[in-house]
Amino acid sequence: MANKGFDLVIKVGGEGGEGVITAGDFLTETAARAGYWAVNYKSYPAEIKGGYAQSTVRISDDRVFSTGDSFDILCAFNGEAVEKNMVFLKRAKEENKPKVLVYDSTDYQPEEELENVIYYPVPLSELAKDVMKAYITKNIIALGALSELFGIPEQSIKDAIKAKFMRKGEKIVEMNYKAFDLGRQYVRENLQKKDPYKFPEPKEPQDVVIMEGNQAIAKGSIAAGVKFYAAYPITPATTVGNHIVMDLIKRGGWLYQAEDEIASLGMALGASFAGQKSMTATSGPGISLMSEFISMAGGTELPIVIVDVQRGGPSTGMPTKHEQSDLFICAFGGHGDFPRAILATTTVEDNFYLAVEAFNLAEKYQIPVFLMTDGALAIRSEVFPAPKVEQRPDGKVVVKGNIPYGVDEIEVVDRWVYNAEEDKEGQFRSETGRFLRYKTDTPTGITPMGIPGDPHAMHAITGLERTENSDPRFTPEIRVKQMNKRFRKLQTLLREDADRYYKDMRIDSDNADVAIISWGLTASIAREAAQRLREMGYTVNEFYPRLLWPVKAEVFEEFASKAKRVIVPETNYHGQFAFILRATTNLKDLISYVAYRGEAFIPKEIVDFAKMAIEKDIKKGWFTPSDVYGTVVGAI
Amino acid sequence: MAVLTAKDYRSEVEPTWCPGCGDFGVLNATARALAELQKDPAKVVGVSGIGCSSRLPLFLKGYNAHTLHGRAITFAIGVKVSRPDLDVIVFTGDGDMFSIGSGHNPHVARRNIDLTIIMMDNKVYGLTKNQVSPTSREGQYGSLTPYGTIDHPVNPIQYMLTFGATYVAQTYAGNLKHMTKIIKEAIEHKGLSFVNVISPCPTFNKLDSYKFYKDHLVDINEELGHTDLTDYKKAMDIAMHWADYYHDPNAKAHIGVYYKVEKPTYHDMVEQVKAKVGHEESIQKLIDVCKPKAI
Ligand SMILES: Cc1ncc(C[n+]2csc(CCOP(=O)(O)OP(=O)(O)O)c2C)c(N)n1
Ligand code: SF4
Ligand SMILES: [Mg+2]
């Protein structure tokens, strides 16, 4: 994996509004244009205007799925950016490779030179103001300096710059080229290269896309054929809507900005009842408000996709921070017992494909399906192989690409709609000819839906318990039959579809030193940790399920039986997935390893804990990074 | 297609309302109105919340949805916006629409969504067995206000006018003819129609009884001469002062149309936006915009 080939982490930090995020985007696109992979984790200021912003771009030969432990190069647009990253710079002395600080010497002068840190002062602000006479070119001057210092392919950056500014005219492109060249020139004339970091030669670019997490959900949903989207703005979910709205209109659909989340799910379910593929996206507080409708969707068997872009809870919590603490509400929220499914994404690429899968499960099983992702993935961008959407001659839409959880393609599923022509025997008709929307004795539990307009499938839906033809009635017999019908759908799902989401599993040994089960963003960090543990000589098994609910117990039990201990890293307090696994499988000895500080794990924290667990022969319990390092640490 | 009669719009499900409940009348009037309009039952969608009144769509043929307390409007919007070819009628109660669900009222009205909302106003919570509702008069007894409520009621007509409904009327469950006429008009109206039906609950509301309304009703169009239905100020004025029986028990209650104007519906506006944006046949193209741009 990453450690072998080229693998460089560049962080750009500074005042929001100074082009910090844009600079990161340019570096990401440059990587793609030069034939490399990139992951770009952005953090926007919490304030509406100004405040500290940063972009961490990891560029590599092989695909990597996290932004690593820390940066190699920091490009600081001001003194604040240096101060914010001082902990990392100070740590350089314990590390086996140097860190580089490229900084705006107009704004900042280091008081002391830290060990193993290489300093490159560039008067970014001065060059922008005095030479370019345009402060807004500061970030482009910085890119020029970075390009010269580290050999970032000039043509690739220039192409990225051109692509961005083309729309604004030749003059603007020229001005930015000039700023870029100025940065290069300054470095050539004033600085001596002292660090070992060197970008390799550009390669033939691959057929890739660059997407942000929430954009990938939007695009995946469009590929699945979504026609209706209702939502109420909430960080960090809002941008799913921003990204989908125009595409949706172009595809004949509509986005409705609702008055609250109760309304948005109500509307989405109305559209589903009317025959459309339908979705909503929200974050924790919205899921709380939606609970009653979630229960109704499960009870009345309406297909719906609910995207939960998680943020730090409880209550308003930490809206801009990473956390995976909504698993309980997605698995258990809503009153009564009803079937549902949860898919969780580990990368931006996952967001695209699992959005398609979420619609497939919702439409096939007529259940609410949660697509769980989080705020960090929402604004991270990734370079990944371009997905292909094909229409087969039979009309079926097929999504292909490098599907990260190991399936070859996804055939888009459309719901089973009642067709009177095909039902000559009247399987779904009562003796008096009424449509049996909720016939109880089908082997799969699934029954065809009637769509308004069809005179042969008229029926009412009601949240009340009901007969097969949907009249409210709750005798014990009817109740039990209907409940069993609904839950039979989950058994069918476990039988027919679950394995599809369990393929991202690696077994190195039948008696591994450690096994890791993880989900969501943490999985993509655990993956890197596992690789490092292997390089240290440990045997490691890994399992990153995309389906979190329902749970196919035997798959987890068998996986766990092949290791001395199983660690479940996740970023919430309870260890929510481990909790669910303990409840639904015979695995009682799982080790919960949790962080709930509002930041994702870094690979090193999982590596260090795994080593500790192996050395101290830990087999169960609940641990946090504080148990490893003795103190509460943020991004250690 | 054969000519449909009111009976053809009724489902096999028998109403479970108490004898004498005003909601029977609303059901009959709705079936009659649909029959007069010869609507295709398969293309009429009734949506309701929870309450005695909200049971109504279960007694209609066609596609119906008995949803959550207070949320009928939201579900109905989803149906209508995604399937503008359907006629969507919301059946609701005074508690359903003006208590738990009141947050949805401004938005459905200001957007002029082409729905018909029929509220059965019995001025009480029937299904939960006698609590006061937002339209209950001061002093009404409820199980949670055994001392006689000290709350002021809301005036649904005034609210829906304020929010921007383009058809606002009131009718009475004891007058099948008037009710049928109003419901028919409301269904035919393009845009958001709101019909408040005074629908007595003989079981729990002893104040707002058939007996009371027998000599407490006035027809604003026929008797009070309100004929310019596009006059918003006049409509408001009538709703507020002429016979504000919400605040004056001796004042007369209205039946009739307060307001009716033609305005572009939400759907009309959606169509304009869609025409401007255009259609994209290829999903692949929408994905490929995420590729680095060719230089
Ligand atoms: C979330 C929720 N809260 C409370 C209830 C209980 N509930 C059912 S109907 C109702 C009041 C209905 O009043 P109204 O809408 O006036 O209908 P009516 O029975 O008078 O026709 C209440 C409080 C419920 N079903 N759901
Ligand atoms: S309680 Fe009142 S509103 Fe409910 S069915 Fe009986 S009479 Fe009608
Ligand atoms: Mg009532």
Side-chain angles (χ1 to χ4, degrees), chain A residues 375-387:
Chain A
L377 274 177
I379 52 171
R380 144 167 156 177
S381 58
E382 272 174 32
V383 177
F384 63 89

Side-chain angles (χ1 to χ4, degrees), chain A residues 67-118:
Chain A
T67 43
D69 289 341
S70 175
F71 55 84
D72 302 305
I73 298 161
L74 171 67
C75 179
F77 279 25
N78 58 18
E80 187 187 9
V82 181
E83 294 307 328
K84 289 250 187 217
N85 288 285
M86 197 51 92
V87 275
F88 302 105
L89 291 167
K90 283 188 173 155
R91 217 177 281 150
K93 69 170 184 228
E94 297 141 27
E95 288 169 9
N96 56 8
K97 49 182 189 171
K99 291 198 187 299
V100 177
L101 174 62
V102 181
Y103 61 97
D104 181 3
S105 53
T106 322
D107 193 69
Y108 175 78
Q109 285 304 325
E111 282 159 23
E112 44 154 358
E113 297 232 333
L114 296 166
E115 221 175 292
N116 210 17
V117 176
I118 295 156

Side-chain angles (χ1 to χ4, degrees), chain A residues 99-327:
Chain A
K99 291 198 187 299
V100 177
L101 174 62
V102 181
Y103 61 97
D104 181 3
S105 53
T106 322
D107 193 69
Y108 175 78
Q109 285 304 325
E111 282 159 23
E112 44 154 358
E113 297 232 333
L114 296 166
E115 221 175 292
N116 210 17
V117 176
I118 295 156
Y119 291 79
Y120 293 126
V122 182
L124 296 172
S125 300
E126 194 184 307
L127 293 173
K129 270 190 243 156
D130 299 350
V131 184
M132 287 303 299
K133 312 263 183 246
Y135 192 64
I136 51 163
T137 59
K138 180 171 165 178
N139 63 341
I140 306 292
I141 298 171
L143 286 173
L146 293 175
S147 164
E148 183 69 28
L149 279 167
F150 309 107
I152 304 173
E154 178 179 357
Q155 198 52 48
S156 308
I157 302 200
K158 282 194 156 170
D159 288 351
I161 290 173
K162 188 168 181 184
K164 165 110 179 166
F165 294 116
M166 241 168 5
R167 265 185 318 128
K168 298 188 174 166
E170 203 52 37
K171 258 210 179 119
I172 301 289
V173 174
E174 282 310 318
M175 179 178 82
N176 282 286
Y177 277 0
K178 224 175 107 192
F180 180 78
D181 291 337
L182 179 65
R184 287 182 68 102
Q185 189 194 345
Y186 182 88
V187 168
R188 261 198 316 274
E189 291 172 1
N190 296 283
L191 298 173
Q192 188 81 45
K193 181 155 171 95
K194 291 175 280 183
D195 68 89
Y197 300 115
K198 174 99 184 68
F199 208 96
E201 283 304 304
K203 297 189 279 192
E204 186 59 30
Q206 315 189 46
D207 186 19
V208 295
V209 289
I210 304 168
M211 287 191 200
E212 278 191 2
N214 279 357
Q215 183 178 27
I217 291 176
K219 297 289 179 188
S221 303
I222 290 290
V226 65
K227 283 284 148 44
F228 187 82
Y229 181 113
Y232 188 73
I234 183 168
T235 302
T238 312
T239 51
V240 179
N242 299 0
H243 283 295
I244 209 169
V245 57
M246 294 311 280
D247 283 2
L248 202 48
I249 296 173
K250 287 179 194 157
R251 296 292 302 157
W254 193 249
L255 179 146
Y256 193 101
Q257 184 186 325
E259 55 268 24
D260 57 49
E261 286 87 347
I262 300 176
S264 46
L265 187 53
M267 289 160 183
L269 290 174
S272 180
F273 174 72
Q276 307 282 17
K277 286 192 182 177
S278 173
M279 73 186 289
T280 182
T282 187
S283 192
I287 300 282
S288 291
L289 278 181
M290 288 175 183
S291 297
E292 195 186 6
F293 261 129
I294 291 169
S295 170
M296 182 184 132
T300 58
E301 306 194 36
L302 289 175
I304 189 73
V305 172
I306 302 165
V307 179
D308 180 5
V309 189
Q310 298 168 93
R311 61 191 227 178
S315 190
T316 308
M318 303 186 287
T320 56
K321 295 288 194 168
H322 162 84
E323 199 165 273
Q324 303 172 274
S325 54
D326 287 350
L327 184 55

Side-chain angles (χ1 to χ4, degrees), chain B residues 4-295:
Chain B
L4 299 171
T5 64
K7 212 168 76 263
D8 298 316
Y9 293 89
R10 291 281 303 274
S11 73
E12 288 84 344
V13 186
E14 279 310 314
T16 42
W17 293 313
C18 311
C21 177
D23 299 348
F24 281 107
V26 181
L27 175 63
N28 288 337
T30 304
R32 283 185 185 211
L34 290 169
E36 285 182 25
L37 294 166
Q38 285 296 294
K39 289 283 179 191
D40 175 357
K43 300 188 87 176
V44 178
V45 178
V47 183
S48 65
I50 300 294
C52 295
S53 40
S54 289
R55 288 287 178 110
L56 194 146
L58 294 173
F59 315 134
L60 288 174
K61 198 175 244 141
Y63 287 88
N64 292 286
H66 177 231
T67 70
L68 301 181
H69 194 26
R71 313 300 166 201
I73 286 174
T74 70
F75 194 94
I77 289 174
V79 175
K80 184 70 190 181
V81 172
S82 65
R83 287 285 306 277
D85 60 309
L86 303 170
D87 279 297
V88 184
I89 309 175
V90 173
F91 297 95
T92 178
D94 42 318
D96 202 53
M97 183 166 172
F98 273 89
S99 185
I100 191 166
S102 59
H104 308 302
N105 302 343
H107 310 288
V108 70
R110 71 190 171 90
R111 285 170 155 152
N112 200 28
I113 296 176
D114 190 12
L115 301 176
T116 302
I117 301 176
I118 300 176
M119 176 169 121
M120 282 151 267
D121 187 4
N122 55 7
K123 302 174 203 306
V124 72
Y125 284 10
L127 192 69
T128 45
K129 302 196 162 81
N130 192 25
Q131 294 79 32
V132 296
S133 96
T135 58
S136 298
R137 298 193 228 169
E138 276 173 69
Q140 187 169 312
Y141 299 98
S143 73
L144 299 176
T145 50
Y147 44 80
T149 181
I150 54 176
D151 301 344
H152 296 283
V154 300
N155 179 336
I157 299 292
Q158 193 186 326
Y159 269 103
M160 294 313 285
L161 281 170
T162 307
F163 296 149
T166 49
Y167 181 94
V168 179
Q170 185 155 281
T171 181
Y172 172 53
N175 186 340
L176 188 61
K177 201 165 144 232
H178 190 262
M179 220 178 355
T180 306
K181 175 179 151 266
I182 295 285
I183 291 174
K184 190 174 145 193
E185 249 179 58
I187 293 171
E188 280 187 296
H189 176 74
K190 284 241 151 305
L192 196 273
S193 342
F194 174 66
V195 178
N196 194 39
V197 186
I198 298 166
S199 180
C201 166
T203 306
F204 294 121
N205 185 343
K206 308 293 179 195
L207 292 178
D208 295 279
S209 59
Y210 292 103
K211 188 162 158 267
F212 171 82
Y213 285 111
K214 215 165 153 205
D215 42 36
H216 269 90
L217 284 177
V218 57
D219 187 321
I220 57 174
N221 309 120
E222 303 283 324
E223 294 173 60
L224 299 183
H226 178 48
T227 49
D228 181 2
L229 302 181
T230 63
D231 187 340
Y232 182 76
K233 280 190 180 161
K234 184 83 182 293
M236 268 299 220
D237 197 44
I238 300 170
M240 284 164 69
H241 302 300
W242 279 22
D244 198 352
Y245 82 120
Y246 280 88
H247 301 285
D248 175 2
N250 296 314
K252 289 201 168 165
H254 297 155
I255 58 169
V257 184
Y258 292 82
Y259 188 58
K260 178 174 165 46
V261 284
E262 293 288 328
K263 276 194 190 149
T265 64
Y266 187 75
H267 181 62
D268 295 333
M269 308 304 284
V270 168
E271 285 304 303
Q272 282 182 25
V273 175
K274 284 188 174 175
K276 222 186 309 173
V277 172
H279 183 78
E280 175 54 68
E281 201 39 55
S282 158
I283 294 174
Q284 189 66 50
K285 273 195 193 151
L286 297 174
I287 291 167
D288 289 350
V289 297
C290 302
K291 292 182 175 179
K293 241 185 256 161
I295 295 300

